[in-house]
Amino acid sequence: MTLSGPFALEASNLGKSGRTRARLMDAAVDVFAREGFQAASVNEIARLADVANGTFYVHFRDKDAIAAEVAYGITREIARQIDEAMSQIDGAAERFSFATRQFIELATTQPMWGWVLIRSAWIVPELNHRVETYLSSDLKRGVKQGIFNREIDPFIVDAISSMILSALAARLRGDAGEEAGSRVSELALCMLGFPVSEAKALAWSAITLQDFSTNVLPRAPKP
Amino acid sequence: MTLSGPFALEASNLGKSGRTRARLMDAAVDVFAREGFQAASVNEIARLADVANGTFYVHFRDKDAIAAEVAYGITREIARQIDEAMSQIDGAAERFSFATRQFIELATTQPMWGWVLIRSAWIVPELNHRVETYLSSDLKRGVKQGIFNREIDPFIVDAISSMILSALAARLRGDAGEEAGSRVSELALCMLGFPVSEAKALAWSAITLQDFSTNVLPRAPKP
Amino acid sequence: MTLSGPFALEASNLGKSGRTRARLMDAAVDVFAREGFQAASVNEIARLADVANGTFYVHFRDKDAIAAEVAYGITREIARQIDEAMSQIDGAAERFSFATRQFIELATTQPMWGWVLIRSAWIVPELNHRVETYLSSDLKRGVKQGIFNREIDPFIVDAISSMILSALAARLRGDAGEEAGSRVSELALCMLGFPVSEAKALAWSAITLQDFSTNVLPRAPKP
Amino acid sequence: MTLSGPFALEASNLGKSGRTRARLMDAAVDVFAREGFQAASVNEIARLADVANGTFYVHFRDKDAIAAEVAYGITREIARQIDEAMSQIDGAAERFSFATRQFIELATTQPMWGWVLIRSAWIVPELNHRVETYLSSDLKRGVKQGIFNREIDPFIVDAISSMILSALAARLRGDAGEEAGSRVSELALCMLGFPVSEAKALAWSAITLQDFSTNVLPRAPKP
DNA sequence: CATGAATGAGACTTCATTCAT
DNA sequence: CATGAATGAAGTCTCATTCAT
């Protein structure tokens, strides 16, 4: 009855067990996004996934376990798509800017994934970790390329990722429009020592963001 | 038995009722800091405050009510102290930088207050609101003074406050030292269009931060 | 602020203590009427009486105690008024009919008293007892007068008083109008062996019910 | 341990879930009978049913829900048995008289059901409603048959049902014996315009009440 | 007498988790 | 694997009652 979400689609070629598991993960994304991790209840996840509550425990040890899996799945998928989309881009600044903008638009297309990233960031440290790992690698590349003149350490990566999440939140709340990605990207480039005019040019350059809504990440249908 | 926290000290001259209320608020800060708002239980707050669980409801309608009071109390107190400490400072950049550094050190002196600000920021919007209001006023002053050349809107205020909170978190986790305030302040000034060298100069200038540990805000003893 | 109820009026010439006590009783009537005895809370009674909750226990041992007092007060007052109004009436049937009708109208004028009688009848047996005592005496008089040819025992008194209370309830709910008293009185007279036509004549005779609304029992003002 | 009550017996052929549900309903009857609806606690019902307190909520949303079910179950069962027992009786007066007597004896056989009917009558209006519906239909039949010369409206139905309940209460308290049914039936017939002698004849005629104690409705054992 | 803060037992309810089917 | 009833700990909140002021 409930149409499938991203994980279920991805698992459509797996066995029944795999598909049930995927349905649970999609349901968990939904509930986490709406209620936050703490307030989410296993029963509600199971109900949304259209399985008995006991079935949850066939697939996951507990709520923490599914949260970790979901976090892993979301970040892996998002990273994969962004990586793929910018495989041709070489400049660190361009890569960073593109990735930031793409990330925000991607998470806006899948609002539940976006909310999970935001709401669970402080609770499932795994999430932050992975996001920052991806971020870190491009920033360090920029230093090597002599483009960024700041030392890249966890502190600054943290600061930038916080800013990006705050931009994403504004976008999801509807307080910011499509410009959110460019704005936060510009700000971050400034922070990294980029001259303002260049930062602006880069962050607002007309790039074609990949449209995932009809492609890899189908829009999750509302029940 | 339990040594008193900041609210209790402030209320030491009030009647018995006011002191109990203050003890509950100190206890709430403690629990919110350790467990986060959602996981905090009224019963634990009462236990920590050394009162019967029913007593909680003599003073607060529910958890939301005490959270709002605590948020109000913390931000009011911090704002008051920072305002007082920088009453002589006039330049917007100096004020911003000083306030940021002072804020982080202050919240480090009262780690529980710091954690409450961080952990509850997304759940008690009141908190963010108030922090951003204070931030906003100095930023706008800078624009009027012609020092910052960016338009100040909620989006950028949000971005900066996220960064500051991320720096505070790093500081509280022990991942950053006293330099945290200066670092994040420098980054933010860059974002606001400040030339890097000046940003650095301002953010790292030797200022005397007011020492609140022996003054207004006594360090809360750990249980 | 709160205008006084019947008990308070009656006690207006007593000392402060007596007046507080009366205010509590009026408040109790109100709360019992609205919520029923079980759901009534001492705190609400005290709040309505405009005294501190502790004050309640200065005057009454517990909720049962005030319930008994209220029951006693209400039945005593109602009985007194009905007795007074029918002091000139001698025939048992007339007395019974008049009393029944007067009782229902009286309790309709003081709806809270009415509701207390109904809602508490099963819980404070004292109440029923007293009502039935008054009832019983006129019924037995009728037997002595040779008017009623049924033996009067608790069973039939109970049956009649149940019927009267059910009529009162219908009246208070608005499901019956002023005819309620006459209807139930007629039914009861039939039960007692009265020929139907005479029962009807008696029960519907034009009598002047005493108007208590401007006399002894002032209408309780709504807060 | 706990012997089963009527609902449990009826459900003995259902699945485990149905049997637990029935045990809860029997327990609820017991508690409602002893304490009344308001004072009854869900926990006590669960304890009596020998299940964990949480189990209650697997089967019923709350106390209201189980009360409604119990009310429905009791009235349906009693009505079914009475209907069955008097399927051969046609005269309205005979039917009314028989039903009244049967009802009281039935509820005396299952004292807890009786007490629930009495104690909850004012609180679960559903109960009264259903009882009065059954009553009403025979009374109206009598009017059609030209036997009763009173108009049947809710007022008189209410009055009669109150009397019957008061008789039942007397019976359950032990203040009345087996004659209770006949007495109240006679009184009601008089009220309905029946000549006294005929009322007496009918109400006291030797009829065989069905003995449910060894038949359909086994006597609930006292704990 | 009056106050009202404090108490703590106990009510309701939710929910992660287990387990027999 | 899937089910869903059952569990019981834990949380929220109420309220009759006490007691120091």
Side-chain angles (χ1 to χ4, degrees):
Chain A
M1 213 42 56
T2 301
L3 299 188
S4 2
F7 288 125
L9 276 194
E10 201 180 7
S12 57
N13 53 335
L14 270 61
K16 193 184 172 201
S17 172
R19 292 199 311 272
T20 299
R21 184 187 167 85
R23 280 225 309 286
L24 281 165
M25 287 176 68
D26 281 323
V29 168
D30 195 325
V31 180
F32 288 162
R34 271 186 294 109
E35 326 249 3
F37 173 75
Q38 309 243 25
S41 97
V42 169
N43 275 23
E44 193 179 355
I45 292 172
R47 187 160 38 76
L48 216 67
D50 247 332
V51 298
N53 56 9
T55 304
F56 178 93
Y57 292 91
V58 174
H59 296 278
F60 302 96
R61 183 201 313 285
D62 55 19
K63 218 166 51 161
D64 284 342
I66 200 175
E69 294 272 329
V70 161
Y72 180 79
I74 289 182
T75 49
R76 177 177 47 88
E77 186 62 19
I78 289 185
R80 195 182 60 69
Q81 294 187 22
I82 292 179
D83 269 354
E84 195 181 301
M86 69 182 187
S87 58
Q88 309 299 337
I89 307 179
D90 205 59
E94 283 84 358
R95 285 182 68 86
F96 168 76
S97 180
F98 180 88
T100 299
R101 294 162 71 183
Q102 181 75 275
F103 170 73
I104 289 180
E105 284 315 298
L106 197 50
T108 303
T109 305
Q110 284 293 324
M112 296 197 227
W113 285 24
W115 282 120
V116 168
L117 290 171
I118 291 169
R119 303 202 59 159
S120 309
W122 290 104
I123 287 149
V124 189
E126 174 77 359
L127 259 179
N128 250 344
H129 239 309
R130 293 176 60 85
V131 170
E132 296 185 354
T133 302
Y134 293 116
L135 197 52
S136 194
S137 91
D138 271 331
L139 295 182
K140 283 179 176 160
R141 178 197 290 227
V143 174
K144 276 199 201 112
Q145 292 178 348
I147 294 173
F148 303 146
N149 52 8
R150 283 198 185 278
E151 193 194 348
I152 302 305
D153 66 357
F155 184 90
I156 197 171
V157 174
D158 228 43
I160 293 175
S161 97
S162 293
M163 264 186 13
I164 295 175
L165 283 182
S166 102
L168 173 57
R171 183 89 172 86
L172 290 174
R173 279 196 309 265
D175 290 348
E178 294 187 6
E179 77 288 357
S182 292
R183 286 195 71 181
V184 76
S185 157
E186 179 191 340
L187 293 175
L189 288 172
C190 286
M191 268 174 43
L192 291 163
F194 240 64
V196 175
S197 57
E198 288 184 38
K200 208 174 285 258
L202 251 172
W204 297 86
S205 69
I207 61 162
T208 309
L209 295 176
Q210 187 158 343
D211 178 10
F212 295 106
S213 61
T214 60
N215 183 355
V216 186
L217 258 185
R219 184 184 295 269
K222 297 301 291 181
Chain B
M1 197 55 57
T2 301
L3 298 188
S4 0
F7 288 123
L9 277 193
E10 201 181 5
S12 56
N13 53 335
L14 269 62
K16 194 185 172 200
S17 175
R19 291 199 312 270
T20 300
R21 185 186 167 85
R23 281 228 309 287
L24 281 164
M25 286 176 69
D26 282 323
V29 167
D30 195 324
V31 180
F32 288 161
R34 271 188 293 109
E35 325 248 4
F37 173 75
Q38 310 239 27
S41 97
V42 168
N43 277 17
E44 192 179 356
I45 293 172
R47 189 162 41 72
L48 213 70
D50 242 335
V51 298
N53 50 19
T55 303
F56 178 92
Y57 295 93
V58 173
H59 296 278
F60 302 97
R61 185 195 312 283
D62 55 19
K63 217 169 47 165
D64 282 342
I66 201 176
E69 293 272 324
V70 162
Y72 181 79
I74 289 183
T75 50
R76 177 179 45 90
E77 187 61 20
I78 290 185
R80 194 182 62 69
Q81 294 189 21
I82 292 179
D83 269 354
E84 194 182 302
M86 69 183 186
S87 58
Q88 309 299 337
I89 308 179
D90 205 59
E94 283 83 358
R95 284 181 67 89
F96 169 76
S97 180
F98 180 88
T100 299
R101 293 162 71 183
Q102 181 75 274
F103 170 73
I104 290 180
E105 283 316 296
L106 198 50
T108 303
T109 305
Q110 283 295 323
M112 295 197 230
W113 284 23
W115 282 119
V116 167
L117 290 172
I118 290 168
R119 303 205 57 159
S120 307
W122 289 105
I123 287 144
V124 189
E126 173 77 0
L127 260 179
N128 249 344
H129 232 309
R130 292 175 60 85
V131 170
E132 296 186 354
T133 301
Y134 293 118
L135 197 52
S136 194
S137 93
D138 272 331
L139 295 182
K140 283 178 176 161
R141 178 196 291 228
V143 173
K144 276 200 201 110
Q145 292 178 346
I147 294 173
F148 302 147
N149 51 11
R150 282 197 186 279
E151 193 194 347
I152 303 304
D153 66 358
F155 184 90
I156 199 172
V157 174
D158 229 45
I160 294 176
S161 95
S162 294
M163 263 183 18
I164 296 175
L165 283 182
S166 101
L168 173 57
R171 183 84 172 91
L172 290 173
R173 280 196 310 265
D175 290 347
E178 294 186 6
E179 77 288 359
S182 292
R183 286 195 70 182
V184 75
S185 156
E186 179 192 340
L187 292 174
L189 289 172
C190 286
M191 266 174 43
L192 291 164
F194 238 64
V196 176
S197 57
E198 287 184 38
K200 208 175 286 263
L202 252 173
W204 296 86
S205 68
I207 61 163
T208 308
L209 296 176
Q210 187 160 341
D211 179 11
F212 295 105
S213 61
T214 59
N215 183 354
V216 186
L217 260 185
R219 182 183 297 268
K222 299 299 290 182
Chain C
M1 212 44 54
T2 301
L3 298 188
S4 0
F7 288 124
L9 277 194
E10 200 180 7
S12 56
N13 53 335
L14 271 61
K16 193 184 172 201
S17 173
R19 292 199 312 271
T20 299
R21 183 187 168 86
R23 279 226 310 285
L24 281 164
M25 287 176 69
D26 281 323
V29 167
D30 193 325
V31 180
F32 288 162
R34 271 186 292 109
E35 327 249 3
F37 174 74
Q38 309 243 24
S41 97
V42 170
N43 275 22
E44 192 179 356
I45 293 173
R47 188 159 38 75
L48 216 66
D50 246 334
V51 298
N53 55 9
T55 304
F56 179 93
Y57 292 90
V58 173
H59 296 278
F60 303 96
R61 183 201 313 285
D62 54 21
K63 217 165 51 161
D64 284 341
I66 200 175
E69 294 272 328
V70 161
Y72 181 79
I74 289 182
T75 49
R76 177 179 45 89
E77 185 62 19
I78 289 185
R80 195 182 61 71
Q81 294 188 21
I82 292 178
D83 269 354
E84 194 181 303
M86 67 183 188
S87 58
Q88 310 298 337
I89 308 179
D90 205 59
E94 285 84 357
R95 286 182 66 87
F96 167 76
S97 181
F98 180 88
T100 298
R101 294 162 72 183
Q102 182 76 275
F103 169 72
I104 290 180
E105 286 314 299
L106 197 49
T108 303
T109 304
Q110 286 291 325
M112 295 196 225
W113 284 24
W115 282 120
V116 167
L117 290 171
I118 290 168
R119 303 202 59 159
S120 309
W122 289 105
I123 288 148
V124 188
E126 174 76 0
L127 259 180
N128 251 344
H129 237 308
R130 293 176 60 85
V131 170
E132 296 185 354
T133 301
Y134 293 116
L135 199 50
S136 196
S137 92
D138 272 331
L139 295 180
K140 283 178 177 161
R141 178 197 291 226
V143 174
K144 276 198 201 114
Q145 293 177 347
I147 295 174
F148 302 146
N149 51 11
R150 283 198 186 279
E151 194 194 348
I152 303 305
D153 65 356
F155 184 90
I156 197 172
V157 174
D158 228 44
I160 294 175
S161 97
S162 294
M163 263 186 14
I164 296 175
L165 282 183
S166 101
L168 173 56
R171 182 87 172 90
L172 291 174
R173 280 196 309 265
D175 291 347
E178 293 186 7
E179 77 288 357
S182 292
R183 286 194 69 180
V184 76
S185 157
E186 179 191 340
L187 293 174
L189 288 172
C190 286
M191 268 175 41
L192 290 163
F194 238 65
V196 174
S197 57
E198 287 184 39
K200 211 176 285 262
L202 251 173
W204 297 85
S205 69
I207 61 163
T208 308
L209 296 176
Q210 188 159 343
D211 178 11
F212 295 105
S213 61
T214 59
N215 185 353
V216 186
L217 258 185
R219 183 183 295 270
K222 299 301 290 180
Chain D
M1 196 57 54
T2 302
L3 299 188
S4 1
F7 288 124
L9 277 193
E10 200 182 6
S12 57
N13 53 336
L14 270 61
K16 193 184 172 201
S17 175
R19 291 199 311 272
T20 301
R21 184 186 168 85
R23 280 229 310 287
L24 282 164
M25 286 176 68
D26 281 323
V29 167
D30 193 325
V31 180
F32 288 160
R34 271 187 293 109
E35 325 248 3
F37 173 75
Q38 310 238 28
S41 96
V42 168
N43 276 20
E44 192 179 356
I45 293 172
R47 188 162 40 73
L48 213 70
D50 241 335
V51 297
N53 50 18
T55 303
F56 179 93
Y57 294 94
V58 174
H59 297 278
F60 302 97
R61 186 197 309 286
D62 54 20
K63 217 169 46 166
D64 283 342
I66 201 175
E69 294 271 325
V70 161
Y72 180 79
I74 289 182
T75 50
R76 176 179 46 90
E77 187 61 19
I78 290 185
R80 196 183 60 70
Q81 294 189 21
I82 293 178
D83 269 353
E84 195 181 301
M86 68 182 186
S87 59
Q88 309 298 337
I89 308 179
D90 206 58
E94 284 83 357
R95 285 182 66 87
F96 168 76
S97 182
F98 179 88
T100 299
R101 294 162 69 183
Q102 181 76 274
F103 170 71
I104 290 180
E105 284 315 298
L106 199 49
T108 303
T109 306
Q110 283 295 322
M112 295 197 230
W113 285 22
W115 282 120
V116 167
L117 290 171
I118 291 168
R119 304 205 56 158
S120 308
W122 289 105
I123 287 143
V124 189
E126 174 77 0
L127 260 179
N128 248 344
H129 235 310
R130 292 176 59 87
V131 170
E132 296 186 354
T133 301
Y134 293 117
L135 198 51
S136 193
S137 93
D138 272 331
L139 295 181
K140 284 180 177 160
R141 178 196 290 228
V143 173
K144 276 200 201 110
Q145 292 177 347
I147 295 174
F148 301 147
N149 52 10
R150 282 197 187 279
E151 195 195 347
I152 303 305
D153 65 357
F155 184 90
I156 198 171
V157 174
D158 228 45
I160 294 177
S161 97
S162 294
M163 266 187 11
I164 296 176
L165 284 182
S166 102
L168 174 56
R171 182 86 172 91
L172 291 173
R173 280 196 309 265
D175 290 347
E178 293 186 7
E179 77 288 358
S182 292
R183 287 193 69 182
V184 76
S185 156
E186 180 191 340
L187 293 175
L189 288 171
C190 286
M191 267 174 42
L192 291 163
F194 240 63
V196 175
S197 57
E198 289 185 37
K200 208 174 288 259
L202 252 172
W204 296 85
S205 69
I207 61 163
T208 309
L209 295 177
Q210 189 160 342
D211 178 11
F212 295 106
S213 62
T214 60
N215 184 356
V216 186
L217 258 186
R219 182 184 296 271
K222 298 300 291 181

